[in-house]
DNA sequence: AGTCATGTTGACGA
DNA sequence: CTCGTCAACATGAC
């Protein structure tokens, strides 16, 4: 479920409930269910991996972490974290992090950081990169304040696309290359969205979980890289290391 | 059947 | 105070 494009799909599935009143709010989430009951869902938004259910004076923030899931107009035999019933259907969330954000949603998020947002800004992203020169590119791509919505799959695929080694230091990557990384983080995210909708995301992976390089045929490296120690798949021949 | 993973937070100690 | 490390959460794919 987790990466940004998947949250966009979730958001799209839930727009049918906009302007509808919550008839019943249930589940074991540690939030005030009574406060939600009777309120009208005013909008459904997303910021990176956050799914945002907006009401007049507050927003329910859903984060699926690694194992979270949701069902629209369906139910499965699992503990419901949050269940919202409307007159035209219902949503169930499972194993997700649920939090209430007070007041205007704009006060909580920098929309220009979200790679899926129409307010996304390449120039602001590059500015943030210039403030993180001592970091490795594999860490920076996973930094949600810089590339909100990018997850480990997108990280690996983007680095392969632009031929950059995950252990490259931001300071040593040429500006033109940094721009390419930034633009591809967004481009790949939209490809991810398209492929996921066609149920052929995995089929499109060029490095993630792969054994051999799809470009040169040599065997790929699998390492847990950077401060974040997330697994990276890369080709030492095709992906240049900037240090 | 056991291992691992599209993720994040908070506790703890150095 | 800041940094790094680790546990915790919880589910499905292989």
């Amino acid at each position: 479920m987790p990466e940004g494009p998947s949250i966009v799909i979730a958001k799209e599935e839930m727009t049918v409930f906009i302007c509808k009143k919550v008839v019943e709010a249930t589940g074991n989430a540690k939030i005030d269910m009574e406060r939600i009951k009777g309120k009208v869902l005013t909008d459904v938004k997303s910021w990176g991996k956050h799914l945002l259910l907006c009401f007049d004076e507050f927003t329910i923030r859903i984060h699926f972490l690694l194992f979270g899931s949701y069902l629209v107009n369906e139910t499965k035999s699992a503990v419901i974290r949050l269940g919202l019933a409307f007159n035209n259907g219902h949503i169930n969330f499972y194993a997700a992090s649920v939090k209430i954000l007070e007041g205007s949603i704009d006060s909580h998020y920098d929309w220009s950081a979200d790679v899926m947002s129409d307010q996304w800004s390449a120039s602001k992203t590059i500015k943030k990169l210039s403030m993180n020169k001592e970091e490795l590119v594999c860490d920076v791509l996973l930094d949600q304040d810089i590339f909100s919505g990018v997850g480990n799959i997108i990280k690996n695929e983007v680095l392969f696309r632009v031929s950059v080694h995950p252990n490259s230091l931001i300071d040593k990557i040429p500006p033109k290359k940094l721009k390419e990384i930034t633009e591809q983080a967004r481009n790949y995210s939209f490809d991810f969205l398209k492929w996921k909708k066609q149920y052929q995301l995995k089929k499109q992976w060029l490095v993630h979980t792969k054994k051999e390089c799809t470009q040169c045929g040599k065997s790929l490296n699998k390492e847990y890289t950077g401060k974040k120690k997330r697994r990276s798949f890369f080709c030492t021949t095709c992906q240049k290391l900037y240090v």
Side-chain angles (χ1 to χ4, degrees):
Chain A
M1 203 55 45
E3 303 196 32
S6 302
I7 306 305
V8 169
I9 293 172
K11 173 174 70 177
E12 289 173 357
E13 276 188 70
M14 293 173 195
T15 55
V16 63
F17 300 114
I18 293 173
C19 295
K20 304 293 178 189
K21 187 186 285 183
V22 176
V23 176
E24 193 67 65
T26 53
N28 67 354
K30 293 187 184 98
I31 56 169
D32 182 3
M33 297 296 175
E34 285 306 309
R35 185 180 179 191
I36 301 165
K37 192 176 170 181
K39 298 279 178 11
V40 173
L41 182 70
T42 57
D43 206 353
V44 183
K45 298 180 174 227
S46 66
W47 180 86
K49 300 166 189 171
H50 298 202
L51 176 66
L52 305 166
L53 305 174
C54 308
F55 295 84
D56 263 343
E57 305 194 336
F58 63 93
T59 293
I60 304 176
R61 189 205 75 177
I62 310 285
H63 197 303
F64 294 102
L65 299 164
L66 210 44
F67 308 125
S69 63
Y70 68 92
L71 287 175
V72 174
N73 297 334
E74 285 182 82
T75 303
K76 62 177 179 180
S77 60
V79 177
I80 295 176
R81 178 62 43 81
L82 175 64
L84 298 178
F86 302 86
N87 281 328
N88 63 337
H90 69 267
I91 317 169
N92 286 160
F93 295 100
Y94 306 90
S97 160
V98 177
K99 201 180 162 184
I100 299 287
L101 303 179
E102 299 294 342
S104 160
I105 194 60
D106 287 339
S107 67
H108 290 90
Y109 293 104
D110 170 11
W111 304 103
S112 75
D114 179 6
V115 294
M116 301 305 292
S117 171
D118 48 21
Q119 292 176 56
W120 177 79
S121 163
S123 59
K124 282 188 183 176
T125 303
I126 288 168
K127 200 166 286 175
K128 288 175 191 168
L129 290 179
S130 71
M131 298 188 296
N132 285 273
K133 288 186 178 302
E134 302 312 311
E135 303 293 333
L136 299 184
V137 69
C138 62
D139 282 328
V140 157
L141 273 166
L142 292 173
D143 187 326
Q144 298 302 295
D145 292 326
I146 304 176
F147 291 101
S148 168
V150 170
N152 208 35
I153 297 171
I154 297 174
K155 175 199 81 177
N156 282 325
E157 293 294 324
V158 166
L159 289 174
F160 182 74
R161 251 189 195 190
V162 301
S163 310
V164 173
H165 191 295
N167 284 335
S168 296
L169 196 60
I170 294 300
D171 191 37
K172 302 294 181 185
I173 301 175
K176 197 177 163 188
K177 204 55 157 174
L178 284 178
K179 187 159 183 275
E180 207 183 320
I181 292 166
T182 300
E183 285 166 353
Q184 287 307 323
R186 179 168 167 89
N187 287 347
Y188 187 84
S189 295
F190 278 93
D191 285 339
F192 184 120
L193 174 64
K194 177 182 70 190
W195 291 327
K196 176 121 187 171
K197 283 180 174 176
Q198 298 168 349
Y199 302 102
Q200 52 161 272
L201 178 64
K202 282 189 186 183
K203 208 174 79 185
Q204 299 291 341
W205 289 347
L206 298 180
V207 273
H208 195 254
T209 72
K210 295 289 178 190
K211 295 269 192 284
E212 290 99 28
C213 179
T214 44
Q215 204 173 315
C216 74
K218 290 182 183 167
S219 68
L220 292 174
N221 284 41
K222 174 191 166 188
E223 285 174 29
Y224 292 80
T225 63
K227 288 178 181 170
K228 297 190 189 295
K229 294 195 168 28
R230 299 296 301 279
R231 63 177 185 163
S232 291
F233 296 87
F234 56 96
C235 175
T236 52
T237 301
C238 299
Q239 293 172 255
K240 184 170 177 181
L241 177 60
Y242 298 91
V243 284

